[in-house]
């Protein structure tokens, strides 16, 4: 219940974007290029960061896929808003390009016991209106985030109390140990607002024409609704000065976005759709970087029809051609994957998670072998083939259509019938949330990402009482392990528990993972510096953007 | 003069009645569209418990009967309060006000283009009737009209924007020259479809006017051909031409969606598409109403102006 969040809409829209096929060949810094089109999904190289910039520049033009809804992430958190605001607002913890977190506006954090967290508020930080950042602002902000009407309220489910315990000290007490809480403080739940400014703006806070109420390296310059948004380097910033003085954001989707980058009207963008990056591959003057993200493509089965049986679900997972999907649906820019979260979720114990992911190949192979198919058929035989065709729910976007067809082909291969049901994108989104809307489908061609770099941020979706556990998977040991892991503060021990949980989730095929979707940075080849990983949503990436040459 | 006043006031009353009817139809249509705004309003996929959805519905009055919601909306509307956007927390009026000028500029530019080029081509075809020039105009404009605006947009962008780099490919630009440069390609793709209609109407209206008796008389009495075309033919043909120009322009106010999307212009059209996709009721309703209002106002204006241009219509109606 606590981790994936409303940025989903943006990813869904991105993946649904009008498809543009990869036609280009290799180019300079394109780390994924292998000389031909499409990219080879298996060799896609993911880097957390781009090479550091050396040169200062006055301005940069950046593209978003949509205009931000609002710059108050408590009331309306969308990806577009985050990409901008992460340069303007700072959080108590900070997500690093390599997806680890460290204390930030909380200069120090200290846990006297596993149910208490004491944060020391950083000294010498000023808000953009010049006023000093105080512990009172921190406490007020935390309470605002925790308000049940706000986006981040569910992050505070374990919190018993939050109090100011010293001039620069906040003490948070928990009902139960909460391993994800500090990670949430690196996300939107950790933003520190200037109480005075937010209160003064009232209902209009976050809309065009209002101040930003933050302390980051950039300050909100102007937001001309429907036209552009500009951020400017903040002169009195407490940390290192940004390399780029001013960043102007504009927004465009699909081909307009691709054209703007192609013609140099924009200097860069984080492409939410792999197809956008794909359309720009090999374009002269543009570098591309791919980084780890938590996003994935998945099949989400429902309790209706044949897929209710775990054996049939496992059989489908064994028979589906993940490599084919990556190649023909996404120009090779997604990677066949055996877990429902991308590698950006590995914020700790990376090697162990990577090794475990490789081992899961036995339940979710990249391309099914003869043995896999034989095993799948055996499973179907043992379960008894369902009489009705399996209804696959999708929208008409290129990627999803390819996935739906691949699922149907896989079903056919193991002697089952598949039937594709296509609905408009707006209606498609409701499949995720409304059991009534998905009453007619057996499996959804879905995508998902989580906001925290911790696989445990995902696996609570398999809990017996989770609203995202559509197949009615019930396993007491699983539930117990998930709760224990969520309450285990030690990374090493939590990783062990997470791996156990992950194996159980995979064996039961609660969801069927297909591919991980890396984040993609497309950028003018004179520039470099920002991270390529999904951290761009929570890390002040613009401050590191600059020229390659000094 | 009094007849004009009473006619205009009659028109105004009719305009209000039409608006009222249209507003209800729009409200009901947006309401009936598939999809639940509460799902969007409630936030992420994993927060959507039935209780949370119910709270959101109550908070935004979505659980009330349609007529009550309409009444509430209409009441606010006549008090100049269009509400707050579900998607953007901003006031709907601010959102619309920020985007409307762009769409208006785009339509105005396109109108200038299709009026000048379309009427020009029509006059040319009428004057050079049954020559190769005539055939060329008719053929050319028919070809232009058969290209859908989104195809024209893509073709224009890739040729003049991406390949040749003469025009910018996104945004609406700043200042007079910037705006002109940014809006040339979008306006051109909008105007292309209208060219054929306008040139054809102009050509036909002029042919009809040229065939009338007084033109024959004027010609017989030795008035120079130039003057005949200008004073007698064109003047008499102006009624249908202006009417058609007005109608086409009014239609454009509601039809910029495709072109705005192709060129990455944040106008009323793209605002509407976004609002519909996210079930942003207040915005969708306001934009649709604005489009309908624009259409009604322009067509009413044309109706009012028409008799002033053509005394015969005035006699017939009074």
């Amino acid at each position: 219940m606590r981790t994936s969040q409303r940025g989903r809409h943006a990813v869904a829209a991105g993946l649904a974007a009008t498809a543009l096929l990869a036609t280009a060949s290799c180019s300079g810094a394109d780390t994924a290029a292998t000389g031909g089109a499409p990219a080879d999904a298996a060799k896609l190289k993911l880097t957390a960061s781009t090479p550091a910039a050396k040169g200062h520049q006055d301005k940069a033009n950046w593209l978003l896929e949509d205009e931000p809804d609002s710059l108050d992430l408590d009331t309306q958190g969308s990806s577009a808003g985050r990409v901008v605001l992460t340069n303007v607002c700072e959080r108590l913890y900070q997500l690093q390009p390599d997806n680890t977190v460290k204390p930030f506006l909380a200069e120090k954090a200290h846990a006297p016991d596993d149910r208490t967290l004491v944060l020391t508020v950083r000294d010498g930080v000023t808000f953009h209106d010049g006023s000093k950042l105080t512990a009172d602002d921190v406490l007020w902000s935390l309470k605002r985030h925790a308000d049940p009407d706000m986006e981040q309220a569910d992050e505070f489910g374990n919190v018993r109390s939050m109090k100011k315990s010293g001039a620069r000290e906040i003490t948070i007490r928990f009902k139960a140990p909460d391993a994800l809480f500090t990670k949430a403080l690196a996300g939107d739940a950790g933003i520190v607002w200037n109480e005075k400014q937010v209160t003064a703006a009232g209902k209009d806070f976050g809309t065009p024409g209002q101040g930003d109420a933050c302390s980051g390296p950039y300050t909100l310059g102007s937001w001309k609704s429907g036209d552009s948004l500009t951020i400017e380097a903040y002169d009195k910033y407490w940390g290192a000065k940004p390399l780029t003085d001013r960043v102007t954001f504009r927004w465009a989707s699909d081909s307009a976005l691709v054209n703007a980058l192609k013609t140099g009207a924009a200097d860069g963008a984080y492409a939410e759709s792999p197809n956008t990056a794909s359309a720009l591959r090999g374009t002269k003057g543009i570098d591309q970087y791919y980084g780890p993200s938590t996003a994935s493509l998945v099949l989400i089965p429902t309790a209706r029809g044949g897929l209710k049986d775990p054996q049939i679900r496992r059989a489908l997972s064994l028979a589906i051609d993940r490599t084919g999907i990556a190649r023909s649906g996404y120009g090779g820019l997604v990677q066949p994957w055996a877990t429902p979260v991308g590698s950006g979720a590995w914020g700790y114990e990376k090697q162990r998670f990577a090794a475990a992911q490789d081992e899961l190949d036995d339940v979710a192979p990249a391309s099914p072998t003869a043995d896999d198919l034989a095993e799948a058929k055996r499973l179907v035989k043992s379960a008894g083939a369902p009489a009705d065709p399996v209804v696959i729910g999708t929208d008409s976007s290129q990627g999803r259509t390819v996935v739906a067809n691949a699922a149907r082909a896989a079903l056919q291969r193991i002697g089952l019938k598949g039937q594709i049901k296509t609905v408009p994108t707006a209606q498609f989104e409701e499949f995720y949330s409304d059991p009534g809307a998905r009453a007619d489908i057996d499996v959804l061609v879905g995508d998902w990402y989580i906001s925290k770099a911790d696989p445990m941020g995902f696996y609570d979706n398999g809990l017996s009482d989770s609203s995202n556990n559509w197949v009615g998977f019930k396993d007491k040991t699983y539930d117990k392990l998930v709760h224990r892991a969520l309450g285990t503060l030690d990374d090493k021990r939590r990783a062990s528990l997470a791996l156990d949980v992950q194996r159980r989730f995979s064996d039961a095929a609660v969801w069927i993972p297909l591919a991980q979707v890396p984040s993609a940075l497309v950028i003018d080849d004179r520039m470099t510096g920002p991270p390529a990983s999904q951290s761009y949503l929570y890390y002040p990436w613009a401050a590191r953007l600059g020229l390659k040459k000094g | 003069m009094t007849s004009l006043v009473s006619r205009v006031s009659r028109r105004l009353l009719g305009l209000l009645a039409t608006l009222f009817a249209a507003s209800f139809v729009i409200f009901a249509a947006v309401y009936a569209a598939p999809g639940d705004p509460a799902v969007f309003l409630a936030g992420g996929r994993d927060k959507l418990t039935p209780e949370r959805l119910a709270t959101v519905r109550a908070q935004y009055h979505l659980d009330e009967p349609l007529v009550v919601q309409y009444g509430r909306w209409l009441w606010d509307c006549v008090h100049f309060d269009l509400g707050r956007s579900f998607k953007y927390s901003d006031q709907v009026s601010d959102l619309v006000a920020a985007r409307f000028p762009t769409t208006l500029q785009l339509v105005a530019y396109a109108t200038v283009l299709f009026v000048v080029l379309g009427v020009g081509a029509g006059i040319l075809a009428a004057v050079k009737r049954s020559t190769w020039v005539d055939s060329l105009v008719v053929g050319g404009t028919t070809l232009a009209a058969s290209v859908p605006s989104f195809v024209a947009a893509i073709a224009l962008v890739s040729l003049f924007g991406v390949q040749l780099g003469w025009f910018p490919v996104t945004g609406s630009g700043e200042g007079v020259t910037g705006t002109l440069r940014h809006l040339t390609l979008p306006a051109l793709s909008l105007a292309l479809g209208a060219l054929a209609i306008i040139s054809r109407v102009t050509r036909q209206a002029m042919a009809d006017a040229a065939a009338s008796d007084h033109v024959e008389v004027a010609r017989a009495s030795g008035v120079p051909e130039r003057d005949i075309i200008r004073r007698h033919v064109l003047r008499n043909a102006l009624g249908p031409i202006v009417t058609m120009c007005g109608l086409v322009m009014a239609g454009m106010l509601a039809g910029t969606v495709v072109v705005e999307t192709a060129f990455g212009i944040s106008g009323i059209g793209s605002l509407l598409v976004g609002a519909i996709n996210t079930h942003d009721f207040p915005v969708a309703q306001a934009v649709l109403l604005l489009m309908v209002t624009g259409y009604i106002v322009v067509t009413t204006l044309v109706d009012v102006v028409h008799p002033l241009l053509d005394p015969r219509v005035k006699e017939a109606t009074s």
Side-chain angles (χ1 to χ4, degrees):
Chain A
M1 287 295 286
R2 330 172 349 131
T3 41
S4 80
Q5 36 175 266
R6 82 171 298 150
R8 307 271 57 258
H9 283 286
V11 170
L15 294 175
T18 311
L20 290 150
L21 286 167
T23 49
S25 58
C26 87
S27 76
D30 179 350
T31 48
T34 48
D40 185 348
K43 290 183 191 144
L44 200 62
K45 201 181 148 220
L46 305 187
T47 47
S49 268
T50 59
K54 295 196 187 87
H56 167 272
Q57 60 180 355
D58 296 338
K59 64 184 170 92
N61 291 311
W62 208 259
L63 277 183
L64 306 169
E65 301 216 352
D66 201 359
E67 180 167 7
D69 296 344
S70 158
L71 290 181
D72 179 1
L73 296 182
D74 276 336
T75 57
Q76 208 87 313
S78 72
S79 292
R82 271 191 210 107
V83 176
V84 174
L85 213 63
T86 191
N87 299 299
V88 176
C89 293
E90 293 178 311
R91 296 159 166 96
L92 288 166
Y93 277 66
Q94 192 182 61
L95 182 69
Q96 303 303 302
D98 67 357
N99 294 316
T100 57
V101 300
K102 68 167 193 195
F104 196 63
L105 282 186
E107 193 172 19
K108 270 188 307 200
H110 163 62
D113 58 70
D114 63 4
R115 285 170 200 234
T116 310
L117 180 67
V118 181
L119 302 173
T120 308
V121 177
R122 189 178 286 275
D123 201 13
V125 177
T126 54
F127 286 116
H128 296 148
D129 69 349
S131 61
K132 205 167 174 298
L133 183 147
T134 65
D136 292 313
D137 290 305
V138 173
L139 185 64
W140 183 85
S141 301
L142 285 170
K143 290 199 164 148
R144 186 176 197 253
H145 301 312
D147 183 299
D149 273 345
M150 297 299 192
E151 291 271 325
Q152 300 297 320
D154 50 354
E155 306 289 2
F156 294 82
N158 279 331
V159 172
R160 184 191 298 280
S161 67
M162 297 189 281
K163 284 195 181 81
K164 189 172 151 185
S165 49
R168 290 199 290 126
E169 201 179 83
I170 302 286
T171 300
I172 303 167
R173 288 187 205 284
F174 300 90
K175 293 177 220 160
D178 190 335
L180 298 186
F181 190 75
T182 52
K183 290 172 197 277
L185 293 186
D188 296 343
I191 294 177
V192 178
W193 305 115
N194 180 348
E195 178 184 354
K196 207 173 64 193
Q197 237 176 314
V198 176
T199 322
K203 255 193 167 171
D204 283 320
F205 179 63
T207 63
Q210 299 295 324
D212 60 47
C214 288
S215 62
Y218 287 90
T219 158
L220 186 60
S222 66
W223 181 2
K224 284 183 244 161
S225 174
D227 179 61
S228 64
L229 197 161
T230 303
I231 57 174
E232 277 150 24
Y234 174 51
D235 289 341
K236 293 180 197 129
Y237 182 56
W238 62 274
K241 220 169 152 34
L243 278 170
T244 299
D245 288 341
R246 195 164 75 244
V247 183
T248 300
F249 295 90
R250 288 195 167 76
W251 34 91
S253 59
D254 303 349
S255 58
L257 182 128
V258 170
N259 286 333
L261 288 159
K262 252 188 189 157
T263 55
D267 297 317
Y270 284 102
E272 279 176 6
S273 155
N275 293 322
T276 304
S278 184
L280 286 164
R281 278 172 66 77
T283 305
K284 229 179 135 199
I286 295 180
D287 285 346
Q288 293 204 6
Y289 300 91
Y290 306 99
S293 101
T294 64
S296 64
L297 299 170
V298 284
L299 290 175
I300 314 179
T302 71
R304 201 198 87 124
L307 294 177
K308 191 175 170 37
D309 191 318
Q311 295 191 81
I312 306 279
R313 299 200 296 266
R314 278 221 302 276
L316 173 57
S317 178
L318 282 170
I320 199 160
D321 180 8
R322 294 174 172 79
T323 310
I325 290 171
R327 196 174 294 149
S328 42
Y330 298 91
L333 297 182
V334 303
Q335 230 173 1
W337 208 241
T339 61
V341 276
S343 57
W346 305 337
Y348 54 99
E349 300 290 300
K350 275 196 179 63
Q351 279 79 25
R352 285 172 73 197
F353 282 117
Q357 146 75 26
D358 287 343
E359 273 170 32
L360 285 172
D361 213 37
D362 64 342
V363 287
S367 305
T369 61
D371 287 350
D372 291 327
L373 290 176
E375 169 67 6
K377 282 180 188 150
R378 192 193 63 74
L379 284 165
V380 171
K381 205 170 158 201
S382 132
D388 294 326
V390 173
V391 183
I392 306 159
T394 178
D395 67 6
S396 55
S397 63
Q398 185 208 358
R400 280 210 185 91
T401 307
V402 169
V403 174
N405 279 300
R408 186 166 61 176
L411 289 165
Q412 234 156 28
R413 232 172 278 148
I414 52 176
L416 300 177
K417 260 208 209 86
Q419 189 189 321
I420 296 174
K421 185 183 159 135
T422 310
V423 299
T425 304
Q427 204 181 330
F428 179 85
E429 273 296 308
E430 281 177 40
F431 281 146
Y432 288 101
S433 48
D434 183 1
R438 55 176 188 258
D440 297 334
I441 58 163
D442 295 328
V443 61
L444 178 66
V445 178
D447 61 283
W448 202 266
Y449 81 79
I450 56 174
S451 59
K452 292 186 217 90
D454 191 327
M456 285 319 298
F458 174 81
Y459 287 107
D460 53 356
N461 288 319
L463 289 172
S464 308
D465 59 355
S466 163
S467 58
N468 293 319
N469 174 2
W470 299 352
V471 289
F473 167 67
K474 276 196 173 53
D475 180 344
K476 276 192 187 133
T477 324
Y478 181 91
D479 291 0
K480 211 172 71 194
L481 285 169
V482 168
H483 288 302
R484 190 184 303 161
L486 289 172
T488 302
L489 303 187
D490 180 68
D491 282 348
K492 223 175 194 156
R493 288 197 4 244
R494 190 167 67 260
S496 304
L497 289 162
L499 292 177
D500 192 353
V501 163
Q502 173 172 294
R503 185 35 106 168
R504 284 165 195 273
F505 188 93
S506 303
D507 284 344
V510 185
W511 290 20
I512 300 168
L514 300 173
Q516 69 160 336
V517 184
S519 69
L521 167 68
V522 283
I523 184 173
D524 187 304
D525 69 359
R526 290 173 299 118
M527 297 180 196
T528 185
S533 70
Q534 200 185 4
S535 62
Y536 72 84
L537 292 171
Y538 302 102
Y539 179 85
W541 55 267
R544 291 184 27 174
L545 175 70
L547 295 173
K548 276 182 181 167
K549 291 195 183 118
Chain B
M1 201 58 208
T2 41
S3 84
L4 183 70
V5 171
S6 78
R7 219 154 46 75
V8 168
S9 50
R10 256 206 325 270
R11 288 269 169 221
L12 273 177
L13 273 179
L15 196 147
L16 283 177
T18 318
L19 267 183
F20 180 71
S23 73
F24 184 75
V25 172
I26 287 167
F27 194 90
V30 172
Y31 192 86
D36 184 351
V39 170
F40 180 82
L41 287 166
R45 285 172 188 171
D46 54 355
K47 290 183 187 168
L48 293 157
T49 56
E51 302 80 49
R52 170 97 180 119
L53 284 180
T55 320
V56 168
R57 279 201 194 97
Q59 192 183 339
Y60 287 86
H61 307 292
L62 293 166
D63 51 352
E64 290 171 5
L66 174 65
V67 182
V68 177
Q69 288 193 50
Y70 175 69
R72 189 189 298 281
W73 177 72
L74 195 66
W75 178 256
D76 290 343
C77 257
V78 295
H79 290 86
F80 301 104
D81 177 11
L82 292 169
R84 267 180 199 270
S85 159
F86 289 173
K87 179 173 189 257
Y88 308 96
S89 323
D90 212 356
Q91 299 273 5
V92 172
S93 46
D94 288 350
L95 286 172
V96 170
R99 286 158 180 79
F100 195 52
T102 305
T103 300
L104 221 51
Q105 282 166 352
L106 178 60
V107 171
Y109 195 169
T111 303
V112 170
L113 286 180
F114 83 73
V115 168
V116 171
L117 298 177
V119 174
I123 294 174
L124 196 65
V127 173
K128 306 266 178 194
R129 206 137 177 236
S130 307
T131 64
W132 65 270
V133 178
D134 187 18
S135 315
L136 190 74
V137 168
V138 172
T141 51
T142 307
L143 187 73
S146 62
V147 181
S149 59
F150 74 93
V151 176
I154 292 169
L156 289 173
V157 170
S158 60
L159 181 62
F160 295 106
V162 179
Q163 300 283 333
L164 297 170
W166 291 353
F167 292 99
V169 291
T170 51
S172 45
E174 273 166 38
V176 178
T177 40
T179 308
L180 277 180
R181 249 168 61 79
H182 275 83
L183 293 185
T184 297
L185 293 184
L188 203 56
S189 26
L190 257 184
L192 274 184
L195 277 179
I197 309 170
I198 297 305
S199 67
R200 208 68 63 77
V201 167
T202 308
R203 180 175 171 272
Q204 194 55 45
M206 287 195 47
D208 290 348
S212 63
D213 294 341
H214 76 276
V215 173
E216 294 293 331
V217 172
R219 199 167 272 144
S221 33
V223 179
E225 189 65 20
R226 258 182 98 103
D227 289 350
I228 291 181
I229 290 176
R230 205 155 44 88
R231 269 195 227 142
H232 300 282
V233 181
L234 191 54
R235 184 125 184 247
N236 283 334
L238 221 48
I241 296 175
V242 169
T243 305
M244 196 37 98
C245 287
L247 285 177
V248 170
M249 183 199 163
M252 273 182 183
L253 280 173
T256 58
V257 177
V258 169
V259 170
E260 282 180 18
T261 311
F263 287 94
I265 298 171
S266 299
I268 285 293
S270 45
L271 184 67
L272 178 65
V273 171
I276 289 173
N277 279 335
T278 51
H279 309 306
D280 194 347
F281 283 8
V283 172
Q285 280 148 5
V287 173
L288 283 169
L289 195 66
L290 188 69
M291 284 177 165
V292 170
T293 312
Y295 191 91
I296 298 176
V297 167
V298 174
T299 47
T300 308
L301 269 180
V302 168
D303 259 11
V304 173
V305 170
H306 196 174
L308 302 180
L309 290 171
D310 193 339
R312 286 169 301 177
V313 180
K314 193 174 177 180
E315 280 154 25
T317 49
S318 57

